[in-house]
Amino acid sequence: MIPLDYFVVLGAVLFCIGIFGVLTRRNVIGVLISIELILNAANINLVAFNRYLGTPDGLGQIFAIFVIAIAAIASVVGLVLIIAIYRNGKSVFLDHFNLMKW
Amino acid sequence: MVKIAHLIPLFPFLAFVVNILFGRRLKGASAWVSVLASGVSLALSVVVYQGLLAGQGPYDLGKWLTINGLPIHFGVSVDSLSVMMLLVVTIVGTLIQIYSIGYMHGDPRYSRYFAYISFFMASMLGLVLADNFLMVYIFWEGVGLCSYLLIAFWFERPAAAKAGMKAFITTRIGDTGFLLGIFLLFIATKTIYFSDLSHIVPMVGSEWMLTAAALLIFCGAVGKSAQFPLHVWLPDAMEGPTAVSALIHAATMVAAGVYLVARTYSLFVLNSFCLETVAVIGGISALMAASIATVNNDIKRVLAYSTISQLGLMMLGLGVGGYSAGTFHLMTHAFFKALLFLCAGSVIHAVHTQDIQKMGGLLSKMKVTGTAFIIGTLALAGVPPFAGFWSKDEILLAAFQSGHPFLFGVAVLTSFLTAFYMSRLIFLVLFGKPRSSLHAHESPKTMTIPLMVLSFFAVFVGLLGSPLTHHAFQNFIFFGAPSVEEGQASGAMMMFSTVLSLSGIGLAYVVYIVGNKILPVNIRARFAPFDQLLLNKYHFDEIYDAVFVRPCLKLCDLFSQFDRIVVDGMVNGTARVVQWFSAVLRPLQTGLVQHYLLIQFLGVIVLILTVMGKLCFRF
């Protein structure tokens, strides 16, 4: 059996890549993809710990499915927002949108 | 007995509400609302008068509020003095409102005018019926407000707006004294009811308080009745519509001061010093105003000074102990002075000028107005058997019997001057030849009918207090205070005052009709400095301007500077400090989502490290 550490490290690496992407990507679609990475890092941890701890009714796995479903919805909303932003500002680059400034 | 006296002020008040709310829609009908309301009040007053004769007295409408354990009631005072005032106010008020229909015809604020007049009627009637100082003060301010609103009724004219303010501020000075007097009286006697005044017993060592209270209350009367030294507002008040001058500034409101003194007479009788103050102030006002009236050329201002003078005479009458003389003159004066003002209004309506030097020979063109004017003049001059004769005679007699030769002399001289300046007025206005091209015409019926009715009163109302009716008025109004002796008009005094009036009229005839144009000019040139003094009204306006108004404005200026520099500076300074700090912190807000996210992320890391650090240190 593959040790738990592998999964945890994989999750941590994915999470860090995701955070890095969210913070540095100019393209809004890139940010959205990075958010998916963060969510999937969490999913890996859920599934791995479920298996490792042997929770009898597969609670972690069910939880992961929920996360995937909600992540799909979140991406839909996100994409809609991106389209709206694009129509408004003719750009999908985040640094073009600083309307929240004083 | 039906208790209806409290309904009397209610009807004009309802008329006020209707006119102020629906005046624009009512248009011309608004006048009739007011006239009808005051007609109802008049009818009710007559009923109350009959009730009084049948033995009805003051009554109580219930508790209003409690101050310091002292319950204050809505009391309605029904006695001879208040009923006399009720009748005078409602009769004169109704007639003047009818007159106003014609006089104010076509004014853009027609219904507003009648709303104010109705409010005035309500306040004045409330003032008359109030049985305690607190309610009197409320209505006192009500009439003051109406006076202000109506003087400044044509506020498009700067002079009218200024006159309104002058009247308001000047009377306010007196009112402040009045209010302090009420407080002091309450401290000294624990009562604010007029009915308690006749049997108050001053606590030992607090007699001075009552004296001071009486003098302070008199301050209010001085302001309202335009007595020296607060008389300056009344001549300027003539900027208002003439009907208003007749109602408020001749017949009723200015008489409120005299009424107040009469109402609180018991307080003044306690100390002879108070009575003497009243008499002396009245005497000064009477003589001063009468002398100014002899040279003034504005038809309304002559009458205004005459009003000051006659009110002074009433005060003098009250001050020398002639309670019934003063109140009797108050009543007769209300009728003939209202008549004179309405005549003046009719003349102004016809010739569109107030300068008597431009008038002349109007009698042939305005027969009704002219005749009424002559009747009013004879009544004011004190020619028997007109109204003014009987009441003025009473005052002269009271002054004579009081043993103050100086005050008697003042009263005599004032009576003489009154006859002189009133005759001068009608000689210049009604007789002789027109001194400028005037297209005079008689006024409409709504204006002449009130003149006729008032003329009737001006002729006959004096008989109520004459020996012919056995002094019916004096017996009706009798004030049973100690140390006040009611005089019986003696034959000699009547002869004397008749001669006095006739000589005044005669002198005016010689100067202004026989002497025509040359004699007045010569006399004036002869006494040039005195003439100038009179023309400048003894320089009261200039002195007040220099002593009170301008320093006050300077002080206001100083305060406004303080406000602008210190107060505004503090507020603006606070704002500027905040602005400065925000300028430093503002760049943090970049508006870029990723910056916020980064900070959030760093925050989470710090949180995690903190929690982990704590866990590490525990183990």
Side-chain angles (χ1 to χ4, degrees), chain B residues 133-186:
Chain B
F133 277 108
L134 204 57
M135 283 171 68
V136 159
Y137 190 77
I138 292 169
F139 291 118
W140 185 269
E141 294 300 332
V143 290
L145 171 69
C146 291
S147 168
Y148 163 74
L149 289 172
L150 286 165
I151 292 169
F153 186 70
W154 289 318
F155 53 78
E156 298 89 347
R157 293 208 312 245
K162 257 188 182 167
M165 273 203 290
K166 188 172 178 183
F168 199 70
I169 293 168
T170 315
T171 49
R172 176 46 37 93
I173 295 166
D175 292 353
T176 310
F178 182 26
L179 193 60
L180 292 176
I182 295 173
F183 293 157
L184 200 57
L185 186 73
F186 181 70

Side-chain angles (χ1 to χ4, degrees), chain A residues 10-69:
Chain A
L10 176 63
V13 169
L14 267 180
F15 181 79
C16 288
I17 294 170
I19 287 289
F20 183 77
V22 167
L23 292 181
T24 56
R25 297 298 298 187
R26 280 180 76 208
N27 197 320
V28 187
I29 293 171
V31 172
L32 212 58
I33 292 170
S34 305
I35 290 172
E36 293 300 318
L37 282 185
I38 295 171
L39 289 168
N40 283 322
N43 279 348
I44 286 172
N45 276 8
L46 283 170
V47 174
F49 275 102
N50 178 49
R51 179 81 181 143
Y52 184 74
L53 295 175
T55 320
D57 50 3
L59 191 68
Q61 298 187 20
I62 294 165
F63 214 99
I65 291 169
F66 265 105
V67 172
I68 290 166

Side-chain angles (χ1 to χ4, degrees), chain B residues 310-354:
Chain B
Q310 295 302 307
L311 290 166
L313 218 50
M314 291 170 211
M315 290 287 190
L316 193 150
L318 289 174
V320 295
Y323 178 80
S324 61
T327 46
F328 186 34
H329 197 54
L330 164 60
M331 181 181 78
T332 55
H333 174 261
F335 288 110
F336 59 68
K337 188 50 73 64
L339 171 64
L340 285 169
F341 263 106
L342 295 189
C343 289
S346 183
V347 168
I348 295 165
H349 192 72
V351 301
H352 298 293
T353 175
Q354 300 193 8

Side-chain angles (χ1 to χ4, degrees), chain B residues 94-315:
Chain B
T94 309
L95 290 172
I96 288 174
Q97 285 177 44
I98 294 169
Y99 177 93
S100 303
I101 296 171
Y103 189 78
M104 297 303 287
H105 182 75
D107 193 276
R109 287 190 295 276
Y110 189 71
S111 55
R112 183 58 58 91
Y113 171 84
F114 281 97
Y116 290 162
I117 283 270
S118 286
F119 188 53
F120 169 77
M121 288 290 285
S123 303
M124 189 68 207
L125 293 168
L127 170 70
V128 169
L129 284 171
D131 80 332
N132 59 58
F133 277 108
L134 204 57
M135 283 171 68
V136 159
Y137 190 77
I138 292 169
F139 291 118
W140 185 269
E141 294 300 332
V143 290
L145 171 69
C146 291
S147 168
Y148 163 74
L149 289 172
L150 286 165
I151 292 169
F153 186 70
W154 289 318
F155 53 78
E156 298 89 347
R157 293 208 312 245
K162 257 188 182 167
M165 273 203 290
K166 188 172 178 183
F168 199 70
I169 293 168
T170 315
T171 49
R172 176 46 37 93
I173 295 166
D175 292 353
T176 310
F178 182 26
L179 193 60
L180 292 176
I182 295 173
F183 293 157
L184 200 57
L185 186 73
F186 181 70
I187 292 169
T189 65
K190 299 275 172 264
T191 181
I192 57 165
Y193 291 97
F194 294 133
S195 50
D196 294 340
L197 288 181
S198 55
H199 47 80
I200 42 171
V201 185
M203 285 174 284
V204 180
S206 74
E207 287 88 354
W208 66 270
M209 271 179 145
L210 288 181
T211 309
L215 290 177
L216 283 168
I217 289 168
F218 182 57
C219 271
V222 165
K224 206 57 123 195
S225 285
Q227 297 293 290
F228 169 85
L230 297 178
H231 64 277
V232 288
W233 66 271
L234 191 58
D236 285 8
M238 296 302 126
E239 292 291 340
T242 307
V244 166
S245 309
L247 178 60
I248 300 182
H249 306 118
T252 55
M253 188 196 80
V254 288
V258 180
Y259 172 78
L260 184 72
V261 174
R263 179 52 83 195
T264 56
Y265 202 55
S266 327
L267 202 59
F268 289 90
V269 175
L270 283 177
N271 189 329
S272 65
F273 175 69
C274 297
L275 275 183
E276 275 164 15
T277 311
V278 173
V280 168
I281 294 281
I284 294 172
S285 313
L287 196 56
M288 174 203 69
S291 60
I292 296 173
T294 56
V295 298
N296 206 298
N297 280 328
D298 185 316
I299 185 167
K300 282 180 74 182
R301 275 168 205 250
V302 170
L303 292 176
Y305 280 112
S306 163
T307 304
I308 298 176
S309 164
Q310 295 302 307
L311 290 166
L313 218 50
M314 291 170 211
M315 290 287 190

Side-chain angles (χ1 to χ4, degrees), chain B residues 21-65:
Chain B
L21 292 180
F22 311 111
R24 279 198 192 160
R25 246 171 278 171
L26 286 171
K27 292 201 179 79
S30 57
W32 294 106
V33 172
S34 293
V35 171
L36 190 72
S38 84
V40 172
S41 295
L42 172 58
L44 287 177
S45 303
V46 173
V47 174
V48 169
Y49 169 66
Q50 280 165 347
L52 180 72
L53 291 185
Q56 202 195 354
Y59 61 92
D60 194 7
L61 279 180
K63 203 169 90 173
W64 177 22
L65 43 82

